[in-house]
Amino acid sequence: MKPKIEVPSLDKLSKKSQNFLTAMQKTTGKIPNMYSIIGYSENALQSYSSFSNRKSSLSSADKEIINLLVSQLNDCDYCIAAHAVKAKANAGFTDQQITAIRKFEFSDTKQKALGTFIKEVVENKGTVKPETLEQFFNVGYTNENLVDAVLLVADRIFTNYLHAVTDMPIDFPEVPKI
C-alpha cells in the first residue's frame, strides 16, 4: 500500500501558495484538490497556472475532447470528473456526448480525426501514423493546432500522473466508469 499524500490545508503551504489559492477560491468559488496538491510546490503552482491558462488555437470543444480522451486513456478518474464539468460549461457538451467521447465514438469527421490523432499520440508516446496525420490536416487542422494539441496532451499527462501518484480525493461530481 502506497503512503497517502494528503490534500493540504492552506496553513500547510507556503505564503505564496496560500495567496494564490485564496485568490483562486475568491474567483472560482473553490480550491480544487489538484491545485492544493500542486500548491505543495509554490514554483509548480505558479508555473502550472501559467501553463494551464495559456491561449490556444484550439476551440473549447477540441480542448475538452483532448482533456477527456487523454484522461480516459490514462484512467484518471479525477481528471475525467473535472473535465466532464468543464466540457459542459466551456463546450456545451451533454453527458451523452461526454460518454461518447470517452468511448471514442465520434459521428463528426473532424472530431474523429482529432480523437484518432490524440489516441495515437498518447498510446504510442508521440508516434503517429502518416495517414492519421494526413487526416488531421485534411479535416482542417493546422500546424499550430497540432502543436497546441500536443501541448495540451502534456498538460493532461501532468495532472493524470499527479493524481495517480497522490490518489487525491475527487472533488467534482464523479463520472461513471466505462
Side-chain angles (χ1 to χ4, degrees), residues 8-88:
S9 57
L10 284 176
D11 63 326
K12 302 282 188 220
L13 301 175
S14 72
K15 248 328 179 205
K16 196 171 185 179
S17 287
Q18 288 177 30
N19 291 339
F20 178 90
L21 294 171
T22 300
M24 173 184 263
Q25 186 172 32
K26 285 178 184 169
T27 304
T28 66
K30 81 182 265 181
I31 302 171
N33 288 340
M34 179 65 72
Y35 279 87
S36 293
I37 292 280
I38 296 171
Y40 274 124
S41 167
E42 65 184 43
N43 297 317
L45 184 59
Q46 182 179 358
S47 296
Y48 184 69
S49 175
S50 295
F51 184 62
S52 67
N53 290 310
R54 69 196 172 281
K55 291 183 179 185
S56 176
S57 64
L58 298 167
S59 70
S60 294
D62 287 345
K63 289 189 291 188
E64 292 311 325
I65 287 168
I66 294 168
N67 288 327
L68 288 164
L69 279 177
V70 173
S71 298
Q72 186 67 44
L73 290 165
N74 286 322
D75 199 27
C76 182
D77 293 336
Y78 186 95
C79 292
I80 291 168
H83 286 284
V85 170
K86 288 182 98 175
K88 289 175 189 176

Side-chain angles (χ1 to χ4, degrees), residues 95-113:
D95 288 331
Q96 294 77 15
Q97 290 170 311
I98 290 166
T99 299
I101 292 165
R102 292 175 57 214
K103 289 181 174 181
F104 197 73
E105 296 172 352
F106 297 98
S107 56
D108 179 89
T109 306
K110 190 169 184 180
Q111 289 179 352
K112 185 170 185 172

